[in-house]
Amino acid sequence: MAQEFIGIDEMVNNPQPETKSLRLPVLKGTLGPSVVDVRDLYKSKKIFTYDPGYTSTASCTSKITFIDGEQGQLLHRGYSIEELASQSTYLEVAYLLFNGELPTKDEYAAFEKEITYHTLLHEQVIHFFRGFRRDAHPVAVMIGVVGALSSFYHDSLDIQDKAQRDLASLRLLAKVPTIAAMAFRYSQGHPFMYPQNNLSYAGNFLHMLFGYPTESYEVDPVIERAMDQLLILHADHEQNASTSTVRMAGSSGANPFACLAAGMASLWGPAHGGANEAVLYMLHEIGDKSQIPKYIEKAKSKKDPFRLMGFGHRVYKNYDPRAAVLRESCHKVLEVLGIDDPLLELALELEKMALEDEYFLEKKLFPNVDFYSGLIFKALGIPTPMFTALFAVGRTAGWIAQWREMLEDPETKIGRPRQLYKGEKLRTYVPIVKR
Ligand code: SDX
């Protein structure tokens, strides 16, 4: 296929005589927008591109996830999120993200066994929890403990060694739920629950969250399925902020535990994975339907920093397909559990009124993955401060898959963006006695 090029006319504000029009290669993907390859721009023309927030920048080549924001489409290795959420399991999706293909029955059984036998933590890791205050945010604990795993598992730190990358991948996918559950139990002052190898991935996670050593814990199949589906819906999402953080950390050769701790730190922000927690606090603040118009006006006001949490997305300019699945699942879970949560009614009314408002329609602000997830987490008995921790549990599969892909990509270099400098020109130091 003939290489395409585009021309960049001479930069009118760039007086350098040698700046003539420039032909840049255009690279095409399997799906989605093509890219202008600017890698040699600075070398040949001594100019940078400028794109704060990377709104028009592809940071890498990837085969893992495709998002069509206009259509509201999300594919993982070509499979739609709707089909995966309804027919697959989180571990199977993790295998798919890691390996590019759905596993055979034997491959799945072997993978599940590997994960099951890596769910335990080194017994000394437990002491780390004791250093936190009981009211520490669970994500603060997770960041600390996941990063600290690099001080225990020295046989899976060498990122140049594929076997060690594979071992670290298994350990992280297996141990992050254990750590998240322990963070929750520590905050309650309740005993830690050890993983149970006879349970499913989601069932084991629920057992570690809600079981007690004093009695047996029966995993409710409805809650188990809802939790597994929630993890699938949070598994990966292209080059979002936290995934880009994992890739950036990994590009310097940092070990996988440090990279995922960095990703969790980025996810924690209320503009990203912290939004699910913020949605619940917002719904509580709105209180009842009569207050919705006031909050919609607040969200529209440029003078007011308030934003409608759970609405809007950098990529989706249509309904987030994950939010659509979660909206249905929310109704089902609440109905099956016999929960009549007024916050769900409030959320549905808020969505309805926002999507009838010109401002939200014009700016294409639709509910995103975080709008309904918190209501389901709440129905499953998860306390609000744990919502982002659960997002991190789900996204662990995607962070690992993207980290692996980055390390296997021959084009990967250490991430080192430049800047448009607007500071002082060279000036002479003035001793303090003369200032
Ligand atoms: C996630 O990237 C990913 O894929 C993330 C994620 C994943 O799976 O990894 O999908 C998970 O993080 C979902 C997003 C969760 N965050 C929230 O729900 C927080 C509320 N939403 C926003 O803060 C915002 O919409 C973002 C951060 C999600 C997107 O921000 P952008 O793309 O930078 O868009 P923007 O801030 O430039 O907004 C465009 C316009 C602005 O108005 P103008 O300056 O053009 O006049 O829309 C307005 C914004 O003020 N706007 C909102 C709004 N979101 C955007 N106005 C009111 N309420 C909102 N929620």
Side-chain angles (χ1 to χ4, degrees):
M1 180 170 58
Q3 176 69 59
E4 262 190 66
F5 291 87
I6 63 161
I8 293 185
D9 294 338
E10 187 167 344
M11 300 284 288
V12 290
N13 63 345
N14 181 336
Q16 292 167 18
E18 71 279 8
T19 307
K20 295 283 178 282
S21 69
L22 185 66
R23 289 161 51 82
L24 291 169
V26 171
L27 309 178
K28 279 185 174 311
T30 330
L31 294 171
S34 298
V35 300
V36 177
D37 184 347
V38 296
R39 279 174 289 186
D40 293 337
L41 185 61
Y42 179 66
K43 200 160 56 180
S44 63
K45 292 296 172 186
K46 295 291 176 269
I47 53 171
F48 297 141
T49 59
Y50 182 64
D51 187 12
Y54 312 114
T55 51
S56 305
T57 294
S59 62
C60 62
T61 302
S62 181
K63 297 179 179 176
I64 297 172
T65 289
F66 174 72
I67 302 172
D68 181 329
E70 305 306 322
Q71 300 300 318
Q73 183 186 46
L74 170 58
L75 306 178
H76 291 315
R77 301 288 191 179
Y79 296 100
S80 74
I81 191 62
E82 291 88 350
E83 284 200 331
L84 293 172
S86 61
Q87 299 180 55
S88 187
T89 65
Y90 176 69
L91 273 193
E92 184 177 75
V93 170
Y95 183 99
L96 173 67
L97 294 174
F98 288 10
N99 300 297
E101 296 297 336
L102 288 167
T104 62
K105 220 166 153 197
D106 292 347
E107 287 167 338
Y108 183 75
F111 184 66
E112 185 177 39
K113 186 159 185 261
E114 290 263 32
I115 296 298
T116 300
Y117 285 88
H118 277 293
T119 49
L120 269 175
L121 290 177
H122 186 295
E123 199 63 10
Q124 269 181 245
V125 173
I126 292 178
H127 300 307
F128 278 107
F129 290 85
R130 307 263 179 260
F132 291 96
R133 284 174 39 146
R134 291 283 177 179
D135 61 354
H137 193 289
V139 177
V141 176
M142 288 178 74
I143 292 167
V145 176
V146 168
L149 294 183
S150 50
S151 66
F152 283 85
Y153 300 112
H154 298 141
D155 57 345
S156 57
L157 299 180
D158 178 0
I159 57 147
Q160 305 301 337
D161 177 347
K162 185 174 181 320
Q164 295 202 31
R165 295 202 299 269
D166 289 346
L167 181 54
S169 303
L170 293 174
R171 279 176 166 154
L172 281 161
L173 190 63
K175 297 181 194 304
V176 165
T178 307
I179 293 167
M182 291 169 79
F184 171 52
R185 302 290 288 212
Y186 183 73
S187 71
Q188 292 182 313
H190 291 173
F192 294 143
M193 294 300 290
Y194 282 89
Q196 294 296 308
N197 292 349
N198 62 319
L199 297 175
S200 71
Y201 190 89
N204 180 43
F205 186 37
L206 289 166
H207 174 262
M208 293 189 289
L209 285 169
F210 300 121
Y212 284 92
T214 46
E215 57 195 34
S216 67
Y217 173 82
E218 288 304 310
V219 178
D220 178 323
V222 171
I223 295 182
E224 182 180 22
R225 178 61 195 144
M227 177 60 82
D228 197 68
Q229 188 182 65
L230 279 160
L231 296 177
I232 291 173
L233 292 165
H234 288 83
D236 190 54
H237 210 241
E238 202 213 64
Q239 306 310 319
N240 58 84
S242 55
T243 298
S244 298
T245 302
V246 170
R247 279 179 170 261
M248 181 65 91
S251 73
S252 74
N255 74 67
F257 305 103
C259 291
L260 259 76
M264 286 178 185
S266 171
L267 183 77
W268 198 3
H272 189 12
N276 52 18
E277 184 178 341
V279 166
L280 255 291
Y281 295 137
M282 176 187 73
L283 290 174
H284 280 298
E285 185 185 334
I286 293 173
D288 67 57
K289 292 180 184 179
S290 64
Q291 296 302 304
I292 291 176
K294 180 181 109 182
Y295 280 86
I296 287 183
E297 288 315 306
K298 271 171 68 70
K300 290 158 64 174
S301 161
K302 287 298 158 221
K303 294 194 220 45
D304 193 324
F306 174 80
R307 284 195 165 183
L308 222 44
M309 302 315 281
F311 272 79
H313 199 277
R314 169 64 58 76
V315 177
Y316 290 122
K317 301 309 170 191
N318 198 325
Y319 212 100
D320 181 334
R322 301 167 296 174
V325 175
L326 287 167
R327 190 173 187 271
E328 289 319 305
S329 176
C330 199
H331 279 291
K332 216 185 301 172
V333 168
L334 290 178
E335 191 186 328
V336 169
L337 296 179
I339 296 172
D340 175 19
D341 186 345
L343 288 183
L344 173 60
E345 291 315 308
L346 186 61
L348 291 168
E349 184 62 19
L350 174 59
E351 175 192 341
K352 180 174 170 295
M353 292 177 76
L355 296 186
E356 287 165 355
D357 186 286
E358 201 37 53
Y359 172 93
F360 286 85
L361 292 174
E362 182 239 322
K363 292 185 186 297
K364 298 184 177 180
L365 304 174
F366 291 88
N368 58 50
V369 67
D370 292 305
F371 188 62
Y372 286 104
S373 56
L375 289 167
I376 304 178
F377 287 145
K378 180 170 176 280
L380 300 183
I382 309 280
T384 307
M386 276 295 291
F387 291 1
T388 305
L390 293 191
F391 194 144
V393 171
R395 188 50 56 89
T396 291
W399 285 332
I400 297 168
Q402 299 271 351
W403 170 76
R404 291 161 65 94
E405 182 179 65
M406 176 206 58
L407 290 173
E408 288 153 14
D409 181 349
E411 292 197 328
T412 291
K413 299 163 78 76
I414 185 168
R416 208 293 186 198
R418 300 302 301 276
Q419 64 182 10
L420 175 62
Y421 178 68
K422 293 225 167 180
E424 296 290 340
K425 293 183 178 171
L426 178 64
R427 53 182 173 164
T428 307
Y429 179 81
V430 177
I432 193 161
V433 293
K434 292 186 178 169
R435 277 180 245 155

